[in-house]
C-alpha cells in the first residue's frame, strides 16, 4: 500500500493505536509526535517516526517536506483543557486553540497543494462528541472541537472538486491518559475554602472518575476501538463525513439535539450532581 499516511500525536492513545494498526496492515505510515523519543516501538509495526510539533510552524513544514506528498493526513494531536471559564488563564486558552485548532488547520494547509495536484487525498480530523455537545467544565476544550467541526464542514465542500475527502472522527469517552491531563489542567479539587467554584470542580472530578473508572466505565471505549474506525475511514472507498463512536456519544449528542436548552441543562445538572 503506497499511500503516505501522516499521523500527529502518536506518543500515546488514539494516535499510537492508529499508527500500530495501519502499520500492521501494510500501510506506509509516518507516525509523529512533539518528542520523537516517545515513539519508541512503532518501528516494529513498520512505521517511520518523525518529530512534528503542531505548535511550531518550522516543525510542521519540515515534517511535510520529509514525508513528501501526503495522501492521508490524520490530525489527531490534541488535549483537553478543563476548568471554569472565569478561572482558566487566557494564555492556557490560547495554547488550547494553538494545538487543537490552529495546528490542525496549518498542517492541513501544508498538505493540500499536493493533494490538489494529484487530484486525490483524505483529511481525517479527530474531533470528539464534544464537538457536537458541551459538558460542564469543558467550555474551552469543547469550543476547540466545535471549531474543528466547523472547519471540517467548510473544507469538505471546498475540496470535493479536487477529489479530496474530509472525515470527522467523533469518539465518546476513551480510556487514555487524556482524562488525567484534563483534570490536571482544571486543578479539580480546590483547597481554597473561598473558591466559589470548589463544589463545581469537585462535581466535575467525581463525574470523570465515574466515567473512566467507576460503574459508567463499561460505556467507555479504548484507543484501539477508535483506531479501528480511523482505519475503516481510510480504507473505505466512500467514507462517511462523520463517525460518531460509542453508544454513550450517540446518546449525549441526541440529547443535545432533541432537548430544549433548559431541559438539557437540567439533565446535565442532575447527571453531574452540580451545585
Amino acid at each position: 500500500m503506497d499511500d503516505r499516511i501522516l499521523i500527529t500525536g502518536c506518543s500515546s492513545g488514539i494516535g499510537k493505536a492508529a499508527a500500530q494498526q495501519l502499520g500492521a496492515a501494510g500501510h506506509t505510515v509516518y507516525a509523529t509526535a512533539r518528542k520523537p523519543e516517545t515513539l519508541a516501538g512503532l518501528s516494529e509495526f513498520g512505521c517511520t517516526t518523525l518529530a512534528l510539533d503542531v505548535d511550531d510552524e518550522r516543525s510542521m513544514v519540515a515534517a511535510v517536506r520529509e514525508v513528501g506528498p501526503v495522501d492521508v493526513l490524520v490530525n489527531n494531536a490534541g488535549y483537553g483543557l478543563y476548568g471554569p471559564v472565569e478561572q482558566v488563564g487566557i494564555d492556557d486558552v490560547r495554547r488550547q486553540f494553538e494545538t487543537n485548532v490552529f495546528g490542525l488547520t496549518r498542517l492541513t494547509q501544508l498538505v493540500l497543494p499536493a493533494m490538489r495536484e494529484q487530484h486525490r487525498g483524505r483529511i481525517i480530523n479527530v474531533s470528539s462528541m464534544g464537538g457536537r455537545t458541551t459538558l460542564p467544565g469543558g467550555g474551552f476544550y469543547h469550543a476547540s472541537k466545535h471549531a474543528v467541526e466547523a472547519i471540517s464542514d467548510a473544507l469538505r465542500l471546498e475540496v470535493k472538486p479536487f477529489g479530496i475527502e474530509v472525515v470527522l472522527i467523533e469518539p465518546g469517552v476513551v480510556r487514555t491518559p487524556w482524562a488525567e491531563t484534563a483534570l490536571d489542567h482544571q486543578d479539580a479539587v480546590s483547597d481554597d475554602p473561598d473558591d466559589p467554584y470548589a463544589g463545581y470542580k469537585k462535581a466535575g472530578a467525581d463525574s470523570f472518575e465515574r466515567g473512566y473508572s467507576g460503574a459508567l466505565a463499561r460505556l467507555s471505549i479504548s484507543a484501539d476501538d477508535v483506531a479501528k474506525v480511523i482505519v475503516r475511514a481510510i480504507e473505505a472507498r466512500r467514507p462517511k463525513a462523520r463517525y460518531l463512536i460509542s453508544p454513550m456519544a450517540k446518546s449525549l449528542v441526541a440529547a443535545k439535539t432533541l432537548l430544549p436548552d433548559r431541559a438539557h441543562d437540567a439533565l446535565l445538572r442532575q447527571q453531574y450532581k452540580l451545585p
Side-chain angles (χ1 to χ4, degrees), residues 222 228 243:
S222 70
K228 288 175 184 175
Y243 291 83

Tab-separated table of all heavy atoms in Angstrom, residues 222 228 243:
chain	number	residue	atom	x	y	z
A	222	SER	N	-11.955	2.017	24.084
A	222	SER	CA	-10.492	2.043	24.126
A	222	SER	C	-9.943	2.803	22.922
A	222	SER	O	-10.636	3.043	21.925
A	222	SER	CB	-9.945	0.617	24.121
A	222	SER	OG	-10.166	0.018	22.856
A	228	LYS	N	-9.623	1.526	15.082
A	228	LYS	CA	-10.276	0.670	14.083
A	228	LYS	C	-11.178	1.491	13.163
A	228	LYS	O	-11.266	1.231	11.958
A	228	LYS	CB	-11.086	-0.420	14.780
A	228	LYS	CG	-10.240	-1.494	15.441
A	228	LYS	CD	-11.105	-2.481	16.215
A	228	LYS	CE	-10.242	-3.492	16.957
A	228	LYS	NZ	-11.045	-4.399	17.808
A	243	TYR	N	-17.973	9.913	11.832
A	243	TYR	CA	-18.087	8.634	12.531
A	243	TYR	C	-18.234	8.952	14.019
A	243	TYR	O	-17.252	9.261	14.697
A	243	TYR	CB	-16.855	7.770	12.296
A	243	TYR	CG	-16.703	7.252	10.877
A	243	TYR	CD1	-16.123	8.036	9.886
A	243	TYR	CD2	-17.141	5.968	10.537
A	243	TYR	CE1	-15.976	7.563	8.583
A	243	TYR	CE2	-16.997	5.484	9.247
A	243	TYR	CZ	-16.413	6.286	8.271
A	243	TYR	OH	-16.273	5.808	6.978
